Amino acid sequence: MKVLTLSFVALLFSVSLVTQAFAHTTVEVEQFEIEVGWGIEPPVVGFRNDFVFKITEPDENPGLKVGVKNAFKSMQATAKFGGVTKVLDIGSDPRPGHYFSHVIPTKTGSYSIHLEGEINGTPIDIDIPVEDVESTAVLDFPPTSGSSSDQDVAALKSAVSSLQQEVSSIKSGSGIDVSSEGAAYDYAILGLSIAAAAIILAVIALIKRK
């Protein structure tokens, strides 16, 4: 009997842990309870995931809830990221009241779902935030010391520094006749190379900032 009791307590404890692991957002609209979140958590940029929905209403038996069938018959779900939006294609889970929409998040940051329409005659118009999408660093193992873009920036900085030294060498006249046509041509090419490297460096820095 003691073994059964301890097993039951352990089961309840494990269930509570599983429930806490899902960072879903639940809202209530009149008699309906709407839960929205990610199918895989934490959500990571660039990896396929799902927006998942659970929509329930009170059952005939007090204290129980039942899944709402065909909840999206007259309701639309729109994913929002900043000023960008996308109307979602909703699929039905075999379990009543459970729905999903496939997605690959392409940016880290905050996402939300806007539901608009009606469920069985009840108007719905609400924004529901979901867990922020994180970079791959949250799953990287072993952790990387620096990203490839950081390495590219370092390499370009080194190249620019080297070119600047060569230009300085030409200006000082160390072994090169700057008055000659060939030296002038070399000087122009080096100047253009520095400009091109600087532009590439600026582009990479801009991409990293986004």
Side-chain angles (χ1 to χ4, degrees):
M1 184 64 181
K2 289 183 178 180
V3 174
L4 289 175
T5 302
L6 290 173
S7 299
F8 181 69
V9 171
L11 178 61
L12 288 177
F13 182 70
S14 64
V15 169
S16 66
L17 289 179
V18 171
T19 302
Q20 294 173 0
F22 291 95
H24 292 182
T25 303
T26 302
V27 298
E28 292 184 359
V29 180
E30 295 192 15
Q31 75 271 28
F32 298 106
E33 187 173 274
I34 304 173
E35 179 183 307
V36 181
W38 295 96
I40 300 175
E41 295 178 334
V44 176
V45 66
F47 285 82
R48 177 171 170 168
N49 211 318
D50 296 292
F51 291 118
V52 293
F53 307 83
K54 180 182 178 182
I55 303 176
T56 59
E57 62 182 341
D59 192 12
E60 295 178 353
N61 299 316
L64 298 179
K65 293 184 179 295
V66 61
V68 178
K69 297 180 180 179
N70 300 318
F72 286 89
K73 180 180 180 180
S74 301
M75 183 171 65
Q76 179 176 276
T78 303
K80 300 172 65 177
F81 178 86
V84 182
T85 62
K86 179 183 180 181
V87 176
L88 300 177
D89 293 324
I90 303 297
S92 296
D93 191 282
R95 298 167 296 171
H98 291 259
Y99 305 87
F100 64 89
S101 179
H102 300 310
V103 64
I104 299 177
T106 58
K107 297 280 188 180
T108 58
S110 300
Y111 290 68
S112 65
I113 301 296
H114 181 74
L115 298 178
E116 185 175 10
E118 63 176 42
I119 301 177
N120 297 338
T122 299
I124 306 292
D125 187 1
I126 189 171
D127 275 311
I128 305 175
V130 294
E131 185 178 357
D132 288 358
V133 172
E134 302 186 44
S135 69
T136 58
V138 72
L139 297 179
D140 287 346
F141 181 81
T144 56
S145 57
S147 65
S148 59
S149 58
D150 290 334
Q151 295 171 359
D152 291 339
V153 169
L156 281 170
K157 285 182 178 179
S158 177
V160 170
S161 177
S162 177
L163 287 169
Q164 287 175 334
Q165 289 177 3
E166 291 189 34
V167 171
S168 298
S169 176
I170 291 175
K171 284 183 177 180
S172 65
S174 56
I176 300 177
D177 182 7
V178 295
S179 63
S180 67
E181 183 177 348
Y185 175 79
D186 292 340
Y187 183 74
I189 292 299
L190 284 171
L192 289 173
S193 299
I194 291 176
I199 291 172
I200 295 173
L201 192 62
V203 169
I204 291 178
L206 182 61
I207 292 174
K208 285 184 63 182
R209 197 176 297 121
K210 290 184 177 180

